[in-house]
PDB file of all heavy atoms in Angstrom:
ATOM      1  N   THR D1442       7.208  -3.693   1.250  1.00  0.00           N
ATOM      2  CA  THR D1442       7.223  -3.109  -0.183  1.00  0.00           C
ATOM      3  C   THR D1442       8.723  -2.801  -0.622  1.00  0.00           C
ATOM      4  O   THR D1442       9.025  -3.033  -1.640  1.00  0.00           O
ATOM      5  CB  THR D1442       6.526  -1.719  -0.269  1.00  0.00           C
ATOM      6  OG1 THR D1442       6.997  -0.825   0.698  1.00  0.00           O
ATOM      7  CG2 THR D1442       4.941  -2.100  -0.016  1.00  0.00           C
ATOM      8  N   HIS D1443       9.449  -2.286   0.396  1.00  0.00           N
ATOM      9  CA  HIS D1443      10.956  -2.010   0.183  1.00  0.00           C
ATOM     10  C   HIS D1443      11.637  -1.715   1.452  1.00  0.00           C
ATOM     11  O   HIS D1443      10.912  -1.456   2.429  1.00  0.00           O
ATOM     12  CB  HIS D1443      11.093  -0.934  -0.977  1.00  0.00           C
ATOM     13  CG  HIS D1443      10.615   0.374  -0.606  1.00  0.00           C
ATOM     14  ND1 HIS D1443       9.244   0.666  -0.250  1.00  0.00           N
ATOM     15  CD2 HIS D1443      11.181   1.582  -0.401  1.00  0.00           C
ATOM     16  CE1 HIS D1443       9.129   1.996  -0.066  1.00  0.00           C
ATOM     17  NE2 HIS D1443      10.324   2.580  -0.067  1.00  0.00           N
ATOM     18  N   GLU D1444      12.963  -1.613   1.481  1.00  0.00           N
ATOM     19  CA  GLU D1444      13.679  -1.548   2.694  1.00  0.00           C
ATOM     20  C   GLU D1444      13.897  -0.214   3.343  1.00  0.00           C
ATOM     21  O   GLU D1444      14.516  -0.075   4.381  1.00  0.00           O
ATOM     22  CB  GLU D1444      15.032  -2.186   2.606  1.00  0.00           C
ATOM     23  CG  GLU D1444      16.005  -1.321   1.765  1.00  0.00           C
ATOM     24  CD  GLU D1444      15.925  -1.525   0.245  1.00  0.00           C
ATOM     25  OE1 GLU D1444      14.810  -1.908  -0.255  1.00  0.00           O
ATOM     26  OE2 GLU D1444      16.779  -0.965  -0.510  1.00  0.00           O
ATOM     27  N   HIS D1445      13.310   0.890   2.633  1.00  0.00           N
ATOM     28  CA  HIS D1445      13.510   2.179   3.283  1.00  0.00           C
ATOM     29  C   HIS D1445      12.978   2.198   4.641  1.00  0.00           C
ATOM     30  O   HIS D1445      12.017   1.558   4.986  1.00  0.00           O
ATOM     31  CB  HIS D1445      12.850   3.300   2.437  1.00  0.00           C
ATOM     32  CG  HIS D1445      13.581   3.478   1.122  1.00  0.00           C
ATOM     33  ND1 HIS D1445      13.059   4.255   0.065  1.00  0.00           N
ATOM     34  CD2 HIS D1445      14.877   3.064   0.749  1.00  0.00           C
ATOM     35  CE1 HIS D1445      14.033   4.249  -0.927  1.00  0.00           C
ATOM     36  NE2 HIS D1445      15.037   3.588  -0.491  1.00  0.00           N
ATOM     37  N   VAL D1446      13.600   3.030   5.603  1.00  0.00           N
ATOM     38  CA  VAL D1446      13.389   2.970   6.888  1.00  0.00           C
ATOM     39  C   VAL D1446      11.822   3.257   7.259  1.00  0.00           C
ATOM     40  O   VAL D1446      11.347   2.640   8.175  1.00  0.00           O
ATOM     41  CB  VAL D1446      14.179   4.048   7.739  1.00  0.00           C
ATOM     42  CG1 VAL D1446      15.535   3.595   7.899  1.00  0.00           C
ATOM     43  CG2 VAL D1446      14.141   5.407   7.190  1.00  0.00           C
ATOM     44  N   ASP D1447      11.267   4.101   6.500  1.00  0.00           N
ATOM     45  CA  ASP D1447       9.820   4.503   6.716  1.00  0.00           C
ATOM     46  C   ASP D1447       8.922   3.197   6.474  1.00  0.00           C
ATOM     47  O   ASP D1447       7.708   3.335   6.947  1.00  0.00           O
ATOM     48  CB  ASP D1447       9.416   5.799   6.142  1.00  0.00           C
ATOM     49  CG  ASP D1447       9.692   5.800   4.601  1.00  0.00           C
ATOM     50  OD1 ASP D1447      10.713   5.271   4.150  1.00  0.00           O
ATOM     51  OD2 ASP D1447       8.776   6.321   3.933  1.00  0.00           O
ATOM     52  N   HIS D1448       9.428   2.192   5.801  1.00  0.00           N
ATOM     53  CA  HIS D1448       8.612   1.081   5.553  1.00  0.00           C
ATOM     54  C   HIS D1448       9.082  -0.159   6.312  1.00  0.00           C
ATOM     55  O   HIS D1448       8.360  -1.131   6.341  1.00  0.00           O
ATOM     56  CB  HIS D1448       8.594   0.833   4.062  1.00  0.00           C
ATOM     57  CG  HIS D1448       8.120   2.008   3.338  1.00  0.00           C
ATOM     58  ND1 HIS D1448       6.707   2.108   3.040  1.00  0.00           N
ATOM     59  CD2 HIS D1448       8.708   3.137   2.901  1.00  0.00           C
ATOM     60  CE1 HIS D1448       6.602   3.277   2.394  1.00  0.00           C
ATOM     61  NE2 HIS D1448       7.804   3.892   2.263  1.00  0.00           N
ATOM     62  N   HIS D1504      11.645   2.612  -8.074  1.00  0.00           N
ATOM     63  CA  HIS D1504      11.874   3.437  -6.861  1.00  0.00           C
ATOM     64  C   HIS D1504      13.376   3.215  -6.526  1.00  0.00           C
ATOM     65  O   HIS D1504      13.994   2.192  -6.880  1.00  0.00           O
ATOM     66  CB  HIS D1504      11.043   3.002  -5.847  1.00  0.00           C
ATOM     67  CG  HIS D1504      11.039   3.868  -4.575  1.00  0.00           C
ATOM     68  ND1 HIS D1504      10.766   5.249  -4.611  1.00  0.00           N
ATOM     69  CD2 HIS D1504      11.274   3.594  -3.256  1.00  0.00           C
ATOM     70  CE1 HIS D1504      10.879   5.742  -3.409  1.00  0.00           C
ATOM     71  NE2 HIS D1504      11.206   4.834  -2.591  1.00  0.00           N
ATOM     72  N   ASP D1505      13.985   4.202  -5.860  1.00  0.00           N
ATOM     73  CA  ASP D1505      15.377   4.039  -5.516  1.00  0.00           C
ATOM     74  C   ASP D1505      15.604   3.070  -4.310  1.00  0.00           C
ATOM     75  O   ASP D1505      16.125   3.503  -3.313  1.00  0.00           O
ATOM     76  CB  ASP D1505      16.076   5.380  -5.298  1.00  0.00           C
ATOM     77  CG  ASP D1505      15.331   6.218  -4.170  1.00  0.00           C
ATOM     78  OD1 ASP D1505      14.330   5.665  -3.678  1.00  0.00           O
ATOM     79  OD2 ASP D1505      15.731   7.248  -3.879  1.00  0.00           O
ATOM     80  N   ALA D1506      15.265   1.863  -4.490  1.00  0.00           N
ATOM     81  CA  ALA D1506      15.470   0.767  -3.485  1.00  0.00           C
ATOM     82  C   ALA D1506      15.830  -0.564  -4.073  1.00  0.00           C
ATOM     83  O   ALA D1506      16.010  -0.617  -5.318  1.00  0.00           O
ATOM     84  CB  ALA D1506      14.136   0.550  -2.764  1.00  0.00           C
ATOM     85  N   HIS D1527       2.923   2.380  -3.389  1.00  0.00           N
ATOM     86  CA  HIS D1527       3.413   3.664  -3.093  1.00  0.00           C
ATOM     87  C   HIS D1527       4.904   3.742  -3.203  1.00  0.00           C
ATOM     88  O   HIS D1527       5.513   2.668  -3.405  1.00  0.00           O
ATOM     89  CB  HIS D1527       3.092   4.069  -1.649  1.00  0.00           C
ATOM     90  CG  HIS D1527       3.230   3.004  -0.683  1.00  0.00           C
ATOM     91  ND1 HIS D1527       4.586   2.489  -0.246  1.00  0.00           N
ATOM     92  CD2 HIS D1527       2.462   2.179  -0.008  1.00  0.00           C
ATOM     93  CE1 HIS D1527       4.479   1.563   0.593  1.00  0.00           C
ATOM     94  NE2 HIS D1527       3.156   1.190   0.708  1.00  0.00           N
ATOM     95  N   ASP D1528       5.568   4.869  -3.146  1.00  0.00           N
ATOM     96  CA  ASP D1528       7.046   4.997  -3.382  1.00  0.00           C
ATOM     97  C   ASP D1528       7.243   4.440  -4.777  1.00  0.00           C
ATOM     98  O   ASP D1528       8.003   3.346  -4.855  1.00  0.00           O
ATOM     99  CB  ASP D1528       7.790   4.152  -2.322  1.00  0.00           C
ATOM    100  CG  ASP D1528       7.664   4.835  -0.908  1.00  0.00           C
ATOM    101  OD1 ASP D1528       6.550   4.963  -0.509  1.00  0.00           O
ATOM    102  OD2 ASP D1528       8.644   5.315  -0.347  1.00  0.00           O
ATOM    103  N   LEU D1529       6.765   5.037  -5.802  1.00  0.00           N
ATOM    104  CA  LEU D1529       7.074   4.698  -7.168  1.00  0.00           C
ATOM    105  C   LEU D1529       7.113   5.987  -7.974  1.00  0.00           C
ATOM    106  O   LEU D1529       6.285   6.854  -7.773  1.00  0.00           O
ATOM    107  CB  LEU D1529       6.076   3.693  -7.757  1.00  0.00           C
ATOM    108  CG  LEU D1529       4.618   4.059  -8.095  1.00  0.00           C
ATOM    109  CD1 LEU D1529       3.928   3.009  -8.943  1.00  0.00           C
ATOM    110  CD2 LEU D1529       3.772   4.203  -6.803  1.00  0.00           C
ATOM    111  N   GLY D1575      11.163   8.002  -8.088  1.00  0.00           N
ATOM    112  CA  GLY D1575      10.921   8.832  -6.809  1.00  0.00           C
ATOM    113  C   GLY D1575       9.449   8.555  -6.453  1.00  0.00           C
ATOM    114  O   GLY D1575       9.207   7.312  -5.961  1.00  0.00           O
ATOM    115  N   HIS D1576       8.599   9.441  -6.427  1.00  0.00           N
ATOM    116  CA  HIS D1576       7.300   9.368  -5.852  1.00  0.00           C
ATOM    117  C   HIS D1576       6.177   9.819  -6.857  1.00  0.00           C
ATOM    118  O   HIS D1576       6.466  10.919  -7.514  1.00  0.00           O
ATOM    119  CB  HIS D1576       7.170  10.102  -4.525  1.00  0.00           C
ATOM    120  CG  HIS D1576       7.939   9.608  -3.493  1.00  0.00           C
ATOM    121  ND1 HIS D1576       7.588   8.509  -2.693  1.00  0.00           N
ATOM    122  CD2 HIS D1576       9.263   9.795  -3.193  1.00  0.00           C
ATOM    123  CE1 HIS D1576       8.546   8.192  -1.874  1.00  0.00           C
ATOM    124  NE2 HIS D1576       9.611   9.005  -2.108  1.00  0.00           N
ATOM    125  N   HIS D1601       1.052   7.911   1.677  1.00  0.00           N
ATOM    126  CA  HIS D1601       2.415   8.504   1.569  1.00  0.00           C
ATOM    127  C   HIS D1601       2.419   9.947   1.078  1.00  0.00           C
ATOM    128  O   HIS D1601       3.227  10.433   0.243  1.00  0.00           O
ATOM    129  CB  HIS D1601       3.301   7.596   0.598  1.00  0.00           C
ATOM    130  CG  HIS D1601       4.713   7.551   1.066  1.00  0.00           C
ATOM    131  ND1 HIS D1601       5.596   8.623   0.854  1.00  0.00           N
ATOM    132  CD2 HIS D1601       5.444   6.615   1.597  1.00  0.00           C
ATOM    133  CE1 HIS D1601       6.770   8.257   1.290  1.00  0.00           C
ATOM    134  NE2 HIS D1601       6.739   6.978   1.745  1.00  0.00           N
TER     135      HIS D1601
HETATM  136 ZN1  LIG L2172      10.896   4.636  -0.342  1.00  0.00          ZN
END
Side-chain angles (χ1 to χ4, degrees):
T1442 59
H1443 64 299
E1444 75 279 12
H1445 287 166
V1446 287
D1447 54 323
H1448 301 270
H1504 187 56
D1505 54 358
H1527 46 69
D1528 296 58
L1529 69 167
H1576 294 272
H1601 217 283

